Amino acid sequence: MPEWWSFAKLRASYAEVGNDTDPYRLTTTYGIWNLTSDVKGSEVNSTIPLSTLKPETIKSSEAGFDIRFLDNRIGLDFTWYKKNATNQILTLPISSTTGKSSRLINAGNIENKGVEFILTGTPVKTHDFEWNVTINYSKNKNKIIELHPELSTYELGSTSFVKVVAREGGSYGDIIGYRYQRVEQGRKIVDSEGLPLLEANMDTENPI
């Protein structure tokens, strides 16, 4: 290698990891509770179990390089990565007429991919003093590739005005809610007490 080229390394990796779930989720179980101090009762779990439940699977790929020049005075470390989480264990709401409130399913393919750059340099280096500089840049993109044939949106949490959801084509944790009513110029419309008015319907197309 030329003298000005101090170091070079290429790297790549691939891994698959499984995540388990809580116990007693493959068959119907009973919960025990105290009816009185001396009498106990039991009730059937409100979630329909899944006998063919699979572990969640995370597949990750990564590649990059680390190069340094001029006796390690300048360096660049680059990484590209992609991670897919599949077969996630979710509870799907169902009609209460079934006697249950939800059923257990394997669903989802959530992808995270991105890049990272680390640029290092030593502008000043003497016998008694050394000045090191590091510039770091990273970008991650989260996307839900697939949820479930019976499920395009999964609610993670909600309040009176907003919902936190996971939906196909969007990102995990998108926030949707009611937007303010506005005039054509973009100014908010307020009521007699000066409080902003909300649209009648929740905006499900444009995350907040």
Side-chain angles (χ1 to χ4, degrees):
M1 301 292 290
E3 290 186 2
W4 52 268
W5 195 308
S6 309
F7 178 87
K9 178 173 70 174
L10 298 176
R11 60 181 181 271
S13 65
Y14 176 79
E16 287 190 28
V17 180
N19 290 332
D20 64 357
T21 184
D22 296 330
Y24 315 118
R25 304 186 81 179
L26 302 180
T27 59
T28 300
T29 59
Y30 290 84
I32 306 298
W33 49 279
N34 294 323
L35 186 61
T36 67
S37 58
D38 300 321
V39 181
K40 293 185 179 294
S42 64
E43 60 183 355
V44 179
N45 195 322
S46 61
T47 300
I48 299 176
L50 181 62
S51 61
T52 58
L53 190 67
K54 302 175 182 178
E56 296 180 350
T57 303
I58 298 177
K59 302 177 181 180
S60 58
S61 304
E62 182 177 308
F65 60 80
D66 182 2
I67 54 177
R68 304 169 199 171
F69 309 100
L70 304 177
D71 196 22
N72 295 325
R73 296 281 295 268
I74 301 175
L76 175 62
D77 192 313
F78 169 78
T79 301
W80 168 90
Y81 64 89
K82 186 177 78 165
K83 180 185 294 186
N84 289 79
T86 59
N87 288 331
Q88 294 180 90
I89 300 171
L90 306 174
T91 52
L92 184 65
I94 59 176
S95 173
S96 58
T97 58
T98 62
K100 304 285 186 177
S101 61
S102 60
R103 66 186 177 94
L104 209 60
I105 60 172
N106 279 120
N109 180 0
I110 300 180
E111 180 180 87
N112 282 279
K113 63 180 179 180
V115 294
E116 295 179 354
F117 291 92
I118 300 178
L119 179 63
T120 60
T122 307
V124 179
K125 185 176 182 179
T126 67
H127 181 71
D128 300 319
F129 178 78
E130 184 174 309
W131 175 28
N132 297 311
V133 178
T134 300
I135 299 175
N136 186 17
Y137 169 82
S138 63
K139 181 180 180 180
N140 178 78
K141 183 177 182 181
N142 173 273
K143 184 177 182 180
I144 299 177
I145 307 297
E146 179 185 7
L147 271 181
H148 190 268
E150 304 176 26
L151 186 68
S152 60
T153 302
Y154 183 75
E155 187 175 308
L156 304 171
S158 66
T159 69
S160 302
F161 302 103
V162 298
K163 292 182 178 180
V164 182
V165 299
R167 54 183 179 172
E168 290 185 359
S171 298
Y172 187 88
D174 277 346
I175 301 176
I176 58 176
Y178 296 94
R179 295 190 177 274
Y180 293 122
Q181 295 184 28
R182 297 178 184 270
V183 297
E184 293 183 358
Q185 293 80 6
R187 295 190 297 272
K188 298 176 185 177
I189 301 176
V190 299
D191 60 17
S192 58
E193 297 180 355
L195 299 176
L197 297 176
L198 300 176
E199 296 284 353
N201 298 314
M202 184 172 289
D203 186 357
T204 60
E205 299 298 326
N206 304 295
I208 297 174

